[in-house]
Amino acid sequence: MSNRITWILLTFVIAVSVSASADEWRKNYSITGKPDIHVDANDAEIRVYTADRKDIETVVITQGYRIGTGGVSISERQVGDRIELSLHTPNFHVFSFGFHKSVRVELNIPRQADLDLHSGDGNISAENLNGKITLRSGDGNIRVDSGKGSFTLESGDGRIEGRDLEGELRAETKDGAVRINGVFTDLDLRTGDGSIDAEARPGSKMASGWSVRTGDGNVNLGLPDGLSANVDVHTGDGHITVDFPVTVESGFALRQNAIRGKINGGGQVLEIKTGDGNITLRRS
């Protein structure tokens, strides 16, 4: 009996020690041009901070895992101005006895940088980005606060938020809401199941067709007064409200759940569709 109790106590101590452990890894990279940063974070959270700096600092912070053999493994390399960082979190589980287990990647980078970041099951947040930006999460939320460039934001099962963005934006989630605002030249917003609330502010221009689609949810889209477009608006089960005068396309019968025509003389195609929800096209 005493041996059994000793074994149980030893197991408990080991489990608590592993679960409570915290670790940190960091490395700085010197660059000469515009950085090109690629991160595969496994299931870790990713946070990006920008500042007036010329180097790149990468930090991995764990709770409940050790970094190294038997724990979170990290591989990295630098080729010129390209930085590659890859994490692997062990998939075995021990009883955590209430201790939180997490892995977080923090990137401290210059204001001008290209990013390609991926997490399998973690949130991604960033601020003040300028460049070609690709952020993907399999099952986490994505948020970008301010930036200029080309943005691709994808989540398998999370919400997407973008604030004060400028340039091209493609955002897609299979199961979550989309909330964005900014000055855009290209816009492609999609969700399989969620609402879309977007505002294209004054200065936005349609360099090509825009598309806003949800399988099940309301769409609320703000447009500047002077924007010209050919609109194609349809809801499977809902109402449409448009704050702009629309010249209805010849031969198209105006219906409660569909509008096809021109605003401000027409231009590139603006497609807005929902399978089940209301659509509001308003002035921004």
Side-chain angles (χ1 to χ4, degrees):
M1 181 66 70
S2 61
N3 288 337
R4 183 181 178 186
I5 294 175
T6 301
W7 181 86
I8 292 173
L9 289 174
L10 180 60
T11 302
F12 175 81
V13 170
I14 292 173
V16 170
S17 176
V18 171
S19 299
S21 62
D23 211 348
E24 182 177 300
W25 174 94
R26 65 176 62 228
K27 185 170 181 177
N28 284 67
Y29 301 88
S30 297
I31 55 172
T32 57
K34 185 178 183 180
D36 181 17
I37 303 168
H38 296 249
V39 175
D40 185 349
N42 197 188
D43 289 335
E45 178 187 2
I46 303 175
R47 299 180 186 177
V48 183
Y49 306 98
T50 62
D52 293 326
R53 58 188 301 159
K54 295 185 178 180
D55 67 326
I56 296 169
E57 181 186 43
T58 59
V59 185
V60 178
I61 302 168
T62 67
Q63 182 69 48
Y65 297 103
R66 287 296 184 186
I67 297 175
T69 304
V72 175
S73 62
I74 301 172
S75 62
E76 54 81 26
R77 71 169 184 164
Q78 178 177 5
V79 180
D81 293 323
R82 179 184 173 100
I83 308 298
E84 298 177 1
L85 180 68
S86 179
L87 276 68
H88 177 71
T89 303
N91 56 14
F92 63 85
H93 300 280
V94 293
F95 295 107
S96 60
F97 296 96
F99 289 101
H100 178 62
K101 300 176 73 172
S102 65
V103 182
R104 184 172 76 246
V105 179
E106 295 184 358
L107 303 174
N108 298 292
I109 66 174
R111 299 191 189 280
Q112 297 284 341
D114 293 335
L115 297 175
D116 188 345
L117 312 181
H118 176 262
S119 175
D121 188 16
N123 297 332
I124 302 176
S125 60
E127 58 185 28
N128 299 321
L129 302 180
N130 291 275
K132 183 177 180 180
I133 310 299
T134 300
L135 309 179
R136 294 188 174 95
S137 177
D139 189 16
N141 302 322
I142 297 176
R143 180 184 177 97
V144 180
D145 288 325
S146 75
K148 182 177 182 179
S150 173
F151 296 87
T152 299
L153 313 178
E154 296 180 358
S155 176
D157 190 13
R159 68 179 180 271
I160 295 177
E161 299 180 54
R163 184 172 62 90
D164 295 332
L165 304 182
E166 183 176 350
E168 305 172 3
L169 173 62
R170 177 181 177 273
E172 180 175 4
T173 174
K174 295 178 182 176
D175 187 10
V178 177
R179 302 281 184 272
I180 65 99
N181 63 62
V183 178
F184 302 107
T185 54
D186 288 288
L187 195 61
D188 187 352
L189 308 177
R190 300 173 187 266
T191 174
D193 185 6
S195 62
I196 297 177
D197 192 341
E199 180 178 8
R201 292 175 175 170
S204 298
K205 297 180 180 180
M206 298 180 66
S208 61
W210 289 7
S211 179
V212 180
R213 286 174 168 260
T214 173
D216 185 6
N218 296 328
V219 176
N220 187 332
L221 176 62
L223 298 176
D225 268 331
L227 189 136
S228 301
N230 285 15
V231 295
D232 183 0
V233 185
H234 181 271
T235 172
D237 186 10
H239 300 283
I240 297 174
T241 303
V242 180
D243 289 345
F244 298 87
V246 178
T247 304
V248 178
E249 184 177 299
S250 177
F252 179 80
L254 188 64
R255 304 191 299 273
Q256 183 177 354
N257 69 332
I259 295 176
R260 189 179 300 158
K262 298 179 180 182
I263 57 175
N264 294 319
Q268 299 284 353
V269 175
L270 170 59
E271 178 186 60
I272 308 172
K273 295 189 177 181
T274 175
D276 185 8
N278 300 322
I279 295 175
T280 301
L281 190 58
R282 57 180 173 79
R283 287 182 169 86
S284 59

